[in-house]
Amino acid sequence: MVKLATFRGGVHPPEFKDATKDKKIEPVALPSKVVLPLQQHIGAPLELAVASGDAVKVGTLVARATGFVSIPLHSPVSGTVKSVGEALHPSGVSMQAVVIESDGQDEWEPGLLTRRDPESLGVDEIKKIIRDAGIVGLGGAAFPTHVKLSPPADRKIDVFILNGAECEPYLTTDYRQMLERSADLVAGVGIIARVLGCAKVYLAVESNKPEALAAVAGQAKGREGWQVVTLQTKYPQGGEKQLIEAIAGRQVPSGKLPMDVGCVVQNVSTVLSVFDAVTTGRPLIEKVVTVTGGAALNPGNYSVRVGMLISELLEKTGGVAENLGKAVMGGPMMGVALPNLEVPVLKGTNGLLLIPEPVPESLHRACIRCGGCVDACPIHLLPCDLALLAENERWDRCRELNVKDCIECGSCSFTCPAGRNLVQLIRYGKFTVMSQDRAAKK
């Protein structure tokens, strides 16, 4: 038997991918309006580049980057800026956003779309194109991609890993893109490997996606230094640190980044966005989103303009059942419950999970000290202790037990027989400790 690459810990929740895995990606009709929160990435806030009443085209700059760890925002439609002000973010918090009413013409900014041969471009030119296109990591973290591709001079990157795990239940966006755009994907990996100067390239896909493995392997055949790796199907196999451990055998130390051990990881959607920007000049204005769950009337994989309201997305893709109990942006393990359906698709949105009534309620009974969460934690933390410490606001002890290392994967909560809200409590502790540490530095 062939041993599959994996890591210690993790869980294997039911996959629930059958409803959408065989559905081809379908473009969704243009939205009537888009709502663009200025905060869609990790990093410095943006500076507005438009005002109410301005006419815009597809790709027009809406907000400028204000630092190295920052990326610009572009209009996904042509039309008119209707307002600039507060709007509800999917997180449930109101924040500054630009609202654009579409004119239905889908007219692009002149001169933006340009066919380019990546081989004719220098490394710095490619990184500038990626930054100017507003590309962030699309696996959920939304960290600016050009920053990941610009390690300090003293950190040599020798390993690049394509993350094709898509281990989150229900989601099939990366799977479909690996099948439908395998040639573009492999070409995008080639662009990134060239930017990083990597000698080793791994294309990593979970064992439950044999068709995607075959498609990627076929396109990568004959490339020197490249290897297709079959990963054990396990959650969170797509976590950066878990992938690096499984494939390169390297441990990312507490508080450090993948680049500190010579590795960079990018997921499928991010690599395809890089390919599109470099070869065609297309900024990140569109996302592939899996719409699924028991309350989705037409589950599928849809190409959606960023900023489209969830309510309009559902209206244009078949609707939602009357017994909708909860809508989650993302998957069931790491997704965010939406306050309502009048919030927009973000750059980092990869799924919409529609759960019918009755929605299972949390039990949150007393910890029985079984240790199941400790075995499941892929970061090797003590989730049961951290949750109790956060519950009792013991912040110093949370810090000592490395609460900031938690990746919030939810494996602890999934495996807890007492139904405790472990990941929610640990996230609370992590946020509090990080806030305290930031305040102490000022």
mmCIF file of all heavy atoms in Angstrom, residues 31 33-40 46 48 50 56-57 59-63 72-77 81 83-90 95-101 284-286 305-309 343-347:
data_model
loop_
_atom_site.group_PDB
_atom_site.id
_atom_site.type_symbol
_atom_site.label_atom_id
_atom_site.label_comp_id
_atom_site.label_asym_id
_atom_site.label_seq_id
_atom_site.Cartn_x
_atom_site.Cartn_y
_atom_site.Cartn_z
ATOM 1 N N PRO A 31 -24.622 41.500 -11.563
ATOM 2 C CA PRO A 31 -25.434 42.022 -10.453
ATOM 3 C C PRO A 31 -25.993 43.393 -10.803
ATOM 4 O O PRO A 31 -25.405 44.134 -11.597
ATOM 5 C CB PRO A 31 -24.437 42.104 -9.299
ATOM 6 C CG PRO A 31 -23.101 42.237 -9.954
ATOM 7 C CD PRO A 31 -23.182 41.486 -11.249
ATOM 8 N N LYS A 33 -26.215 45.745 -8.569
ATOM 9 C CA LYS A 33 -25.304 46.638 -7.844
ATOM 10 C C LYS A 33 -24.284 45.794 -7.102
ATOM 11 O O LYS A 33 -24.491 44.585 -6.912
ATOM 12 C CB LYS A 33 -26.051 47.536 -6.866
ATOM 13 C CG LYS A 33 -26.590 46.822 -5.643
ATOM 14 C CD LYS A 33 -27.170 47.811 -4.633
ATOM 15 C CE LYS A 33 -27.648 47.095 -3.373
ATOM 16 N NZ LYS A 33 -28.215 48.019 -2.376
ATOM 17 N N VAL A 34 -23.189 46.426 -6.730
ATOM 18 C CA VAL A 34 -22.188 45.744 -5.907
ATOM 19 C C VAL A 34 -21.890 46.601 -4.685
ATOM 20 O O VAL A 34 -21.947 47.832 -4.741
ATOM 21 C CB VAL A 34 -20.874 45.464 -6.687
ATOM 22 C CG1 VAL A 34 -21.101 44.430 -7.763
ATOM 23 C CG2 VAL A 34 -20.286 46.745 -7.260
ATOM 24 N N VAL A 35 -21.594 45.938 -3.586
ATOM 25 C CA VAL A 35 -21.188 46.600 -2.345
ATOM 26 C C VAL A 35 -19.764 46.150 -2.054
ATOM 27 O O VAL A 35 -19.503 44.949 -1.882
ATOM 28 C CB VAL A 35 -22.121 46.225 -1.181
ATOM 29 C CG1 VAL A 35 -21.662 46.884 0.118
ATOM 30 C CG2 VAL A 35 -23.556 46.631 -1.500
ATOM 31 N N LEU A 36 -18.837 47.091 -1.998
ATOM 32 C CA LEU A 36 -17.411 46.765 -1.879
ATOM 33 C C LEU A 36 -16.844 47.291 -0.567
ATOM 34 O O LEU A 36 -16.428 48.466 -0.482
ATOM 35 C CB LEU A 36 -16.640 47.369 -3.059
ATOM 36 C CG LEU A 36 -17.116 46.957 -4.455
ATOM 37 C CD1 LEU A 36 -16.413 47.781 -5.520
ATOM 38 C CD2 LEU A 36 -16.855 45.465 -4.681
ATOM 39 N N PRO A 37 -16.809 46.469 0.486
ATOM 40 C CA PRO A 37 -16.131 46.898 1.724
ATOM 41 C C PRO A 37 -14.654 47.182 1.436
ATOM 42 O O PRO A 37 -14.005 46.422 0.690
ATOM 43 C CB PRO A 37 -16.289 45.689 2.653
ATOM 44 C CG PRO A 37 -17.423 44.895 2.082
ATOM 45 C CD PRO A 37 -17.361 45.114 0.602
ATOM 46 N N LEU A 38 -14.123 48.254 2.015
ATOM 47 C CA LEU A 38 -12.716 48.582 1.746
ATOM 48 C C LEU A 38 -11.783 47.598 2.441
ATOM 49 O O LEU A 38 -10.635 47.437 2.024
ATOM 50 C CB LEU A 38 -12.403 50.007 2.209
ATOM 51 C CG LEU A 38 -13.152 51.138 1.490
ATOM 52 C CD1 LEU A 38 -12.475 52.472 1.768
ATOM 53 C CD2 LEU A 38 -13.232 50.901 -0.009
ATOM 54 N N GLN A 39 -12.248 46.959 3.496
ATOM 55 C CA GLN A 39 -11.395 46.005 4.210
ATOM 56 C C GLN A 39 -11.716 44.582 3.750
ATOM 57 O O GLN A 39 -12.660 43.965 4.239
ATOM 58 C CB GLN A 39 -11.587 46.138 5.718
ATOM 59 C CG GLN A 39 -10.529 45.407 6.544
ATOM 60 C CD GLN A 39 -9.120 45.958 6.334
ATOM 61 O OE1 GLN A 39 -8.915 47.160 6.370
ATOM 62 N NE2 GLN A 39 -8.160 45.087 6.096
ATOM 63 N N GLN A 40 -10.947 44.102 2.782
ATOM 64 C CA GLN A 40 -11.136 42.729 2.297
ATOM 65 C C GLN A 40 -9.833 41.950 2.350
ATOM 66 O O GLN A 40 -9.698 40.903 1.710
ATOM 67 C CB GLN A 40 -11.668 42.733 0.860
ATOM 68 C CG GLN A 40 -13.036 43.346 0.709
ATOM 69 C CD GLN A 40 -13.692 42.978 -0.608
ATOM 70 O OE1 GLN A 40 -13.565 41.866 -1.095
ATOM 71 N NE2 GLN A 40 -14.405 43.920 -1.191
ATOM 72 N N LEU A 46 -7.283 50.905 2.972
ATOM 73 C CA LEU A 46 -7.191 51.513 1.642
ATOM 74 C C LEU A 46 -7.587 52.988 1.681
ATOM 75 O O LEU A 46 -8.209 53.459 2.630
ATOM 76 C CB LEU A 46 -8.096 50.759 0.670
ATOM 77 C CG LEU A 46 -7.843 49.252 0.534
ATOM 78 C CD1 LEU A 46 -8.735 48.675 -0.557
ATOM 79 C CD2 LEU A 46 -6.378 48.962 0.236
ATOM 80 N N LEU A 48 -9.666 55.851 -0.519
ATOM 81 C CA LEU A 48 -10.684 55.961 -1.573
ATOM 82 C C LEU A 48 -10.137 56.639 -2.830
ATOM 83 O O LEU A 48 -9.400 57.631 -2.748
ATOM 84 C CB LEU A 48 -11.867 56.766 -1.056
ATOM 85 C CG LEU A 48 -12.956 55.989 -0.310
ATOM 86 C CD1 LEU A 48 -13.972 56.957 0.263
ATOM 87 C CD2 LEU A 48 -13.629 54.981 -1.242
ATOM 88 N N VAL A 50 -12.576 57.020 -5.521
ATOM 89 C CA VAL A 50 -13.793 57.457 -6.210
ATOM 90 C C VAL A 50 -14.678 58.213 -5.217
ATOM 91 O O VAL A 50 -14.464 58.152 -4.002
ATOM 92 C CB VAL A 50 -14.578 56.257 -6.792
ATOM 93 C CG1 VAL A 50 -13.794 55.560 -7.887
ATOM 94 C CG2 VAL A 50 -14.962 55.278 -5.675
ATOM 95 N N VAL A 56 -17.855 54.649 -13.449
ATOM 96 C CA VAL A 56 -16.755 53.685 -13.403
ATOM 97 C C VAL A 56 -16.970 52.618 -14.473
ATOM 98 O O VAL A 56 -18.095 52.404 -14.934
ATOM 99 C CB VAL A 56 -16.646 52.996 -12.021
ATOM 100 C CG1 VAL A 56 -16.312 54.007 -10.938
ATOM 101 C CG2 VAL A 56 -17.928 52.258 -11.681
ATOM 102 N N LYS A 57 -15.892 51.970 -14.821
ATOM 103 C CA LYS A 57 -15.952 50.833 -15.731
ATOM 104 C C LYS A 57 -15.409 49.607 -15.003
ATOM 105 O O LYS A 57 -14.883 49.720 -13.891
ATOM 106 C CB LYS A 57 -15.155 51.133 -16.998
ATOM 107 C CG LYS A 57 -15.671 52.353 -17.757
ATOM 108 C CD LYS A 57 -15.016 52.499 -19.086
ATOM 109 C CE LYS A 57 -15.495 53.776 -19.800
ATOM 110 N NZ LYS A 57 -16.969 53.832 -19.936
ATOM 111 N N GLY A 59 -12.939 47.253 -13.719
ATOM 112 C CA GLY A 59 -11.499 47.383 -13.521
ATOM 113 C C GLY A 59 -11.054 48.755 -13.078
ATOM 114 O O GLY A 59 -9.869 48.959 -12.764
ATOM 115 N N THR A 60 -11.960 49.737 -13.033
ATOM 116 C CA THR A 60 -11.593 51.067 -12.532
ATOM 117 C C THR A 60 -11.134 50.963 -11.075
ATOM 118 O O THR A 60 -11.744 50.252 -10.271
ATOM 119 C CB THR A 60 -12.801 52.022 -12.611
ATOM 120 O OG1 THR A 60 -13.181 52.171 -13.972
ATOM 121 C CG2 THR A 60 -12.472 53.383 -12.015
ATOM 122 N N LEU A 61 -10.073 51.696 -10.743
ATOM 123 C CA LEU A 61 -9.573 51.691 -9.370
ATOM 124 C C LEU A 61 -10.582 52.370 -8.449
ATOM 125 O O LEU A 61 -10.936 53.535 -8.646
ATOM 126 C CB LEU A 61 -8.223 52.418 -9.307
ATOM 127 C CG LEU A 61 -7.474 52.336 -7.979
ATOM 128 C CD1 LEU A 61 -6.989 50.918 -7.714
ATOM 129 C CD2 LEU A 61 -6.303 53.322 -7.977
ATOM 130 N N VAL A 62 -11.035 51.628 -7.429
ATOM 131 C CA VAL A 62 -12.002 52.151 -6.465
ATOM 132 C C VAL A 62 -11.297 52.650 -5.211
ATOM 133 O O VAL A 62 -11.688 53.645 -4.614
ATOM 134 C CB VAL A 62 -13.034 51.058 -6.109
ATOM 135 C CG1 VAL A 62 -13.888 51.462 -4.914
ATOM 136 C CG2 VAL A 62 -13.916 50.752 -7.318
ATOM 137 N N ALA A 63 -10.243 51.936 -4.801
ATOM 138 C CA ALA A 63 -9.476 52.337 -3.613
ATOM 139 C C ALA A 63 -8.023 51.920 -3.795
ATOM 140 O O ALA A 63 -7.740 50.845 -4.329
ATOM 141 C CB ALA A 63 -10.068 51.709 -2.357
ATOM 142 N N PRO A 72 -4.903 47.103 -3.861
ATOM 143 C CA PRO A 72 -5.983 47.973 -4.327
ATOM 144 C C PRO A 72 -7.288 47.211 -4.545
ATOM 145 O O PRO A 72 -7.308 45.973 -4.555
ATOM 146 C CB PRO A 72 -5.445 48.520 -5.650
ATOM 147 C CG PRO A 72 -4.518 47.458 -6.135
ATOM 148 C CD PRO A 72 -3.913 46.833 -4.921
ATOM 149 N N LEU A 73 -8.360 47.982 -4.737
ATOM 150 C CA LEU A 73 -9.692 47.424 -4.970
ATOM 151 C C LEU A 73 -10.226 48.006 -6.274
ATOM 152 O O LEU A 73 -10.114 49.209 -6.504
ATOM 153 C CB LEU A 73 -10.601 47.799 -3.797
ATOM 154 C CG LEU A 73 -12.024 47.254 -3.776
ATOM 155 C CD1 LEU A 73 -12.029 45.733 -3.658
ATOM 156 C CD2 LEU A 73 -12.795 47.861 -2.583
ATOM 157 N N HIS A 74 -10.813 47.148 -7.122
ATOM 158 C CA HIS A 74 -11.288 47.570 -8.437
ATOM 159 C C HIS A 74 -12.794 47.355 -8.564
ATOM 160 O O HIS A 74 -13.364 46.477 -7.914
ATOM 161 C CB HIS A 74 -10.569 46.794 -9.549
ATOM 162 C CG HIS A 74 -9.079 46.875 -9.488
ATOM 163 N ND1 HIS A 74 -8.332 46.060 -8.656
ATOM 164 C CD2 HIS A 74 -8.199 47.669 -10.136
ATOM 165 C CE1 HIS A 74 -7.047 46.357 -8.801
ATOM 166 N NE2 HIS A 74 -6.941 47.329 -9.687
ATOM 167 N N SER A 75 -13.388 48.100 -9.460
ATOM 168 C CA SER A 75 -14.827 47.932 -9.700
ATOM 169 C C SER A 75 -15.076 46.643 -10.495
ATOM 170 O O SER A 75 -14.470 46.438 -11.542
ATOM 171 C CB SER A 75 -15.390 49.120 -10.474
ATOM 172 O OG SER A 75 -16.753 48.881 -10.756
ATOM 173 N N PRO A 76 -16.005 45.809 -10.034
ATOM 174 C CA PRO A 76 -16.325 44.577 -10.783
ATOM 175 C C PRO A 76 -17.373 44.808 -11.877
ATOM 176 O O PRO A 76 -17.658 43.900 -12.638
ATOM 177 C CB PRO A 76 -16.902 43.647 -9.698
ATOM 178 C CG PRO A 76 -16.645 44.341 -8.397
ATOM 179 C CD PRO A 76 -16.600 45.793 -8.701
ATOM 180 N N VAL A 77 -17.957 46.000 -11.937
ATOM 181 C CA VAL A 77 -18.994 46.297 -12.939
ATOM 182 C C VAL A 77 -18.761 47.696 -13.493
ATOM 183 O O VAL A 77 -18.040 48.507 -12.899
ATOM 184 C CB VAL A 77 -20.415 46.234 -12.318
ATOM 185 C CG1 VAL A 77 -20.757 44.834 -11.849
ATOM 186 C CG2 VAL A 77 -20.541 47.239 -11.173
ATOM 187 N N VAL A 81 -21.082 55.202 -9.176
ATOM 188 C CA VAL A 81 -20.931 55.107 -7.719
ATOM 189 C C VAL A 81 -22.146 55.786 -7.075
ATOM 190 O O VAL A 81 -22.354 56.983 -7.242
ATOM 191 C CB VAL A 81 -19.626 55.789 -7.254
ATOM 192 C CG1 VAL A 81 -19.528 55.737 -5.728
ATOM 193 C CG2 VAL A 81 -18.415 55.116 -7.884
ATOM 194 N N SER A 83 -22.973 55.518 -3.641
ATOM 195 C CA SER A 83 -22.710 56.037 -2.296
ATOM 196 C C SER A 83 -21.372 55.531 -1.786
ATOM 197 O O SER A 83 -20.852 54.503 -2.247
ATOM 198 C CB SER A 83 -23.826 55.617 -1.330
ATOM 199 O OG SER A 83 -23.829 54.210 -1.163
ATOM 200 N N VAL A 84 -20.835 56.264 -0.838
ATOM 201 C CA VAL A 84 -19.637 55.855 -0.101
ATOM 202 C C VAL A 84 -19.959 56.057 1.369
ATOM 203 O O VAL A 84 -20.200 57.182 1.807
ATOM 204 C CB VAL A 84 -18.410 56.690 -0.489
ATOM 205 C CG1 VAL A 84 -17.204 56.267 0.340
ATOM 206 C CG2 VAL A 84 -18.104 56.555 -1.974
ATOM 207 N N GLY A 85 -20.013 54.973 2.124
ATOM 208 C CA GLY A 85 -20.376 55.105 3.532
ATOM 209 C C GLY A 85 -20.363 53.770 4.226
ATOM 210 O O GLY A 85 -19.690 52.827 3.774
ATOM 211 N N GLU A 86 -21.078 53.648 5.305
ATOM 212 C CA GLU A 86 -21.104 52.423 6.093
ATOM 213 C C GLU A 86 -22.022 51.384 5.446
ATOM 214 O O GLU A 86 -23.093 51.723 4.933
ATOM 215 C CB GLU A 86 -21.595 52.718 7.505
ATOM 216 C CG GLU A 86 -20.674 53.632 8.302
ATOM 217 C CD GLU A 86 -19.455 52.905 8.833
ATOM 218 O OE1 GLU A 86 -19.635 51.864 9.485
ATOM 219 O OE2 GLU A 86 -18.323 53.372 8.594
ATOM 220 N N ALA A 87 -21.599 50.140 5.470
ATOM 221 C CA ALA A 87 -22.425 49.038 4.974
ATOM 222 C C ALA A 87 -22.101 47.804 5.799
ATOM 223 O O ALA A 87 -21.001 47.665 6.352
ATOM 224 C CB ALA A 87 -22.161 48.780 3.491
ATOM 225 N N LEU A 88 -23.066 46.896 5.862
ATOM 226 C CA LEU A 88 -22.888 45.685 6.670
ATOM 227 C C LEU A 88 -21.923 44.723 5.987
ATOM 228 O O LEU A 88 -22.088 44.374 4.824
ATOM 229 C CB LEU A 88 -24.245 45.005 6.887
ATOM 230 C CG LEU A 88 -24.267 43.855 7.905
ATOM 231 C CD1 LEU A 88 -23.895 44.351 9.301
ATOM 232 C CD2 LEU A 88 -25.653 43.197 7.921
ATOM 233 N N HIS A 89 -20.902 44.308 6.738
ATOM 234 C CA HIS A 89 -19.892 43.339 6.268
ATOM 235 C C HIS A 89 -20.382 41.937 6.640
ATOM 236 O O HIS A 89 -21.158 41.775 7.601
ATOM 237 C CB HIS A 89 -18.570 43.656 6.984
ATOM 238 C CG HIS A 89 -17.386 42.897 6.501
ATOM 239 N ND1 HIS A 89 -17.066 41.647 6.993
ATOM 240 C CD2 HIS A 89 -16.433 43.195 5.583
ATOM 241 C CE1 HIS A 89 -15.959 41.233 6.399
ATOM 242 N NE2 HIS A 89 -15.557 42.140 5.545
ATOM 243 N N PRO A 90 -19.983 40.884 5.910
ATOM 244 C CA PRO A 90 -20.405 39.527 6.274
ATOM 245 C C PRO A 90 -20.069 39.140 7.718
ATOM 246 O O PRO A 90 -20.709 38.256 8.285
ATOM 247 C CB PRO A 90 -19.655 38.646 5.273
ATOM 248 C CG PRO A 90 -19.504 39.517 4.070
ATOM 249 C CD PRO A 90 -19.278 40.900 4.613
ATOM 250 N N MET A 95 -18.879 48.660 8.155
ATOM 251 C CA MET A 95 -17.603 49.305 7.835
ATOM 252 C C MET A 95 -17.719 50.052 6.509
ATOM 253 O O MET A 95 -18.707 49.894 5.782
ATOM 254 C CB MET A 95 -16.459 48.291 7.790
ATOM 255 C CG MET A 95 -16.625 47.158 6.817
ATOM 256 S SD MET A 95 -15.200 46.040 6.837
ATOM 257 C CE MET A 95 -15.247 45.404 8.505
ATOM 258 N N GLN A 96 -16.706 50.873 6.226
ATOM 259 C CA GLN A 96 -16.767 51.717 5.039
ATOM 260 C C GLN A 96 -16.812 50.871 3.771
ATOM 261 O O GLN A 96 -16.032 49.911 3.622
ATOM 262 C CB GLN A 96 -15.569 52.669 4.994
ATOM 263 C CG GLN A 96 -15.706 53.758 3.947
ATOM 264 C CD GLN A 96 -14.576 54.763 4.006
ATOM 265 O OE1 GLN A 96 -13.459 54.418 4.379
ATOM 266 N NE2 GLN A 96 -14.854 55.995 3.616
ATOM 267 N N ALA A 97 -17.703 51.259 2.853
ATOM 268 C CA ALA A 97 -17.862 50.505 1.613
ATOM 269 C C ALA A 97 -18.302 51.439 0.494
ATOM 270 O O ALA A 97 -18.868 52.509 0.733
ATOM 271 C CB ALA A 97 -18.900 49.392 1.802
ATOM 272 N N VAL A 98 -18.016 51.014 -0.723
ATOM 273 C CA VAL A 98 -18.434 51.737 -1.918
ATOM 274 C C VAL A 98 -19.558 50.941 -2.581
ATOM 275 O O VAL A 98 -19.406 49.742 -2.816
ATOM 276 C CB VAL A 98 -17.260 51.908 -2.904
ATOM 277 C CG1 VAL A 98 -17.720 52.585 -4.198
ATOM 278 C CG2 VAL A 98 -16.132 52.700 -2.255
ATOM 279 N N VAL A 99 -20.669 51.622 -2.873
ATOM 280 C CA VAL A 99 -21.795 50.968 -3.541
ATOM 281 C C VAL A 99 -21.839 51.465 -4.986
ATOM 282 O O VAL A 99 -21.879 52.683 -5.231
ATOM 283 C CB VAL A 99 -23.129 51.274 -2.826
ATOM 284 C CG1 VAL A 99 -24.292 50.609 -3.563
ATOM 285 C CG2 VAL A 99 -23.071 50.805 -1.377
ATOM 286 N N ILE A 100 -21.829 50.529 -5.939
ATOM 287 C CA ILE A 100 -21.847 50.883 -7.366
ATOM 288 C C ILE A 100 -23.065 50.247 -8.015
ATOM 289 O O ILE A 100 -23.284 49.037 -7.889
ATOM 290 C CB ILE A 100 -20.559 50.386 -8.070
ATOM 291 C CG1 ILE A 100 -19.324 51.007 -7.415
ATOM 292 C CG2 ILE A 100 -20.603 50.709 -9.569
ATOM 293 C CD1 ILE A 100 -18.015 50.456 -7.926
ATOM 294 N N GLU A 101 -23.835 51.071 -8.709
ATOM 295 C CA GLU A 101 -24.999 50.577 -9.448
ATOM 296 C C GLU A 101 -24.540 50.210 -10.862
ATOM 297 O O GLU A 101 -23.952 51.047 -11.570
ATOM 298 C CB GLU A 101 -26.083 51.652 -9.496
ATOM 299 C CG GLU A 101 -27.389 51.175 -10.096
ATOM 300 C CD GLU A 101 -28.451 52.250 -9.995
ATOM 301 O OE1 GLU A 101 -28.468 53.141 -10.870
ATOM 302 O OE2 GLU A 101 -29.218 52.228 -9.020
ATOM 303 N N LEU A 284 -8.512 41.153 -9.802
ATOM 304 C CA LEU A 284 -9.366 40.213 -9.059
ATOM 305 C C LEU A 284 -10.732 40.864 -8.810
ATOM 306 O O LEU A 284 -10.920 41.617 -7.854
ATOM 307 C CB LEU A 284 -8.696 39.839 -7.735
ATOM 308 C CG LEU A 284 -9.472 38.862 -6.832
ATOM 309 C CD1 LEU A 284 -9.880 37.615 -7.590
ATOM 310 C CD2 LEU A 284 -8.650 38.506 -5.612
ATOM 311 N N ILE A 285 -11.677 40.556 -9.687
ATOM 312 C CA ILE A 285 -13.031 41.122 -9.564
ATOM 313 C C ILE A 285 -14.089 40.030 -9.561
ATOM 314 O O ILE A 285 -15.281 40.327 -9.484
ATOM 315 C CB ILE A 285 -13.343 42.087 -10.725
ATOM 316 C CG1 ILE A 285 -13.211 41.343 -12.069
ATOM 317 C CG2 ILE A 285 -12.448 43.315 -10.681
ATOM 318 C CD1 ILE A 285 -13.922 42.024 -13.194
ATOM 319 N N GLU A 286 -13.668 38.776 -9.641
ATOM 320 C CA GLU A 286 -14.628 37.689 -9.786
ATOM 321 C C GLU A 286 -14.145 36.489 -8.980
ATOM 322 O O GLU A 286 -12.939 36.269 -8.851
ATOM 323 C CB GLU A 286 -14.734 37.315 -11.274
ATOM 324 C CG GLU A 286 -15.977 36.559 -11.645
ATOM 325 C CD GLU A 286 -16.239 36.629 -13.147
ATOM 326 O OE1 GLU A 286 -15.293 36.951 -13.912
ATOM 327 O OE2 GLU A 286 -17.383 36.369 -13.559
ATOM 328 N N ARG A 305 -19.345 37.973 -9.532
ATOM 329 C CA ARG A 305 -18.617 39.227 -9.351
ATOM 330 C C ARG A 305 -18.488 39.550 -7.858
ATOM 331 O O ARG A 305 -19.467 39.422 -7.103
ATOM 332 C CB ARG A 305 -19.315 40.381 -10.068
ATOM 333 C CG ARG A 305 -19.378 40.236 -11.594
ATOM 334 C CD ARG A 305 -17.995 40.326 -12.243
ATOM 335 N NE ARG A 305 -18.041 39.935 -13.648
ATOM 336 C CZ ARG A 305 -18.170 40.803 -14.665
ATOM 337 N NH1 ARG A 305 -18.246 42.092 -14.391
ATOM 338 N NH2 ARG A 305 -18.212 40.374 -15.899
ATOM 339 N N VAL A 306 -17.312 39.965 -7.460
ATOM 340 C CA VAL A 306 -17.086 40.412 -6.082
ATOM 341 C C VAL A 306 -18.025 41.584 -5.793
ATOM 342 O O VAL A 306 -18.207 42.467 -6.644
ATOM 343 C CB VAL A 306 -15.616 40.835 -5.889
ATOM 344 C CG1 VAL A 306 -15.407 41.506 -4.540
ATOM 345 C CG2 VAL A 306 -14.693 39.627 -6.036
ATOM 346 N N GLY A 307 -18.615 41.595 -4.618
ATOM 347 C CA GLY A 307 -19.515 42.682 -4.234
ATOM 348 C C GLY A 307 -20.983 42.385 -4.456
ATOM 349 O O GLY A 307 -21.852 43.119 -3.980
ATOM 350 N N MET A 308 -21.290 41.311 -5.191
ATOM 351 C CA MET A 308 -22.695 40.954 -5.421
ATOM 352 C C MET A 308 -23.332 40.553 -4.088
ATOM 353 O O MET A 308 -22.728 39.824 -3.286
ATOM 354 C CB MET A 308 -22.767 39.774 -6.396
ATOM 355 C CG MET A 308 -24.162 39.416 -6.858
ATOM 356 S SD MET A 308 -24.070 38.095 -8.104
ATOM 357 C CE MET A 308 -25.711 38.178 -8.813
ATOM 358 N N LEU A 309 -24.530 41.021 -3.824
ATOM 359 C CA LEU A 309 -25.191 40.656 -2.582
ATOM 360 C C LEU A 309 -25.604 39.179 -2.621
ATOM 361 O O LEU A 309 -26.010 38.658 -3.668
ATOM 362 C CB LEU A 309 -26.410 41.538 -2.348
ATOM 363 C CG LEU A 309 -26.121 43.019 -2.078
ATOM 364 C CD1 LEU A 309 -27.422 43.774 -1.826
ATOM 365 C CD2 LEU A 309 -25.166 43.193 -0.901
ATOM 366 N N VAL A 343 -25.569 40.954 2.464
ATOM 367 C CA VAL A 343 -24.130 41.219 2.580
ATOM 368 C C VAL A 343 -23.453 40.721 1.308
ATOM 369 O O VAL A 343 -23.973 39.851 0.602
ATOM 370 C CB VAL A 343 -23.521 40.524 3.825
ATOM 371 C CG1 VAL A 343 -24.068 41.125 5.095
ATOM 372 C CG2 VAL A 343 -23.781 39.029 3.787
ATOM 373 N N PRO A 344 -22.283 41.283 0.976
ATOM 374 C CA PRO A 344 -21.682 40.985 -0.326
ATOM 375 C C PRO A 344 -20.721 39.799 -0.335
ATOM 376 O O PRO A 344 -20.146 39.418 0.689
ATOM 377 C CB PRO A 344 -20.915 42.280 -0.624
ATOM 378 C CG PRO A 344 -20.484 42.759 0.719
ATOM 379 C CD PRO A 344 -21.584 42.391 1.674
ATOM 380 N N VAL A 345 -20.552 39.249 -1.532
ATOM 381 C CA VAL A 345 -19.449 38.308 -1.797
ATOM 382 C C VAL A 345 -18.138 39.088 -1.704
ATOM 383 O O VAL A 345 -18.026 40.185 -2.251
ATOM 384 C CB VAL A 345 -19.598 37.704 -3.211
ATOM 385 C CG1 VAL A 345 -18.357 36.921 -3.609
ATOM 386 C CG2 VAL A 345 -20.843 36.828 -3.290
ATOM 387 N N LEU A 346 -17.172 38.542 -0.985
ATOM 388 C CA LEU A 346 -15.865 39.180 -0.844
ATOM 389 C C LEU A 346 -14.832 38.468 -1.715
ATOM 390 O O LEU A 346 -15.088 37.379 -2.247
ATOM 391 C CB LEU A 346 -15.406 39.122 0.619
ATOM 392 C CG LEU A 346 -16.347 39.720 1.667
ATOM 393 C CD1 LEU A 346 -15.774 39.503 3.067
ATOM 394 C CD2 LEU A 346 -16.570 41.198 1.407
ATOM 395 N N LYS A 347 -13.639 39.068 -1.804
ATOM 396 C CA LYS A 347 -12.566 38.405 -2.557
ATOM 397 C C LYS A 347 -12.279 37.020 -1.982
ATOM 398 O O LYS A 347 -11.967 36.088 -2.712
ATOM 399 C CB LYS A 347 -11.291 39.250 -2.514
ATOM 400 C CG LYS A 347 -11.349 40.524 -3.333
ATOM 401 C CD LYS A 347 -10.003 41.255 -3.296
ATOM 402 C CE LYS A 347 -10.037 42.498 -4.186
ATOM 403 N NZ LYS A 347 -8.734 43.207 -4.211
#
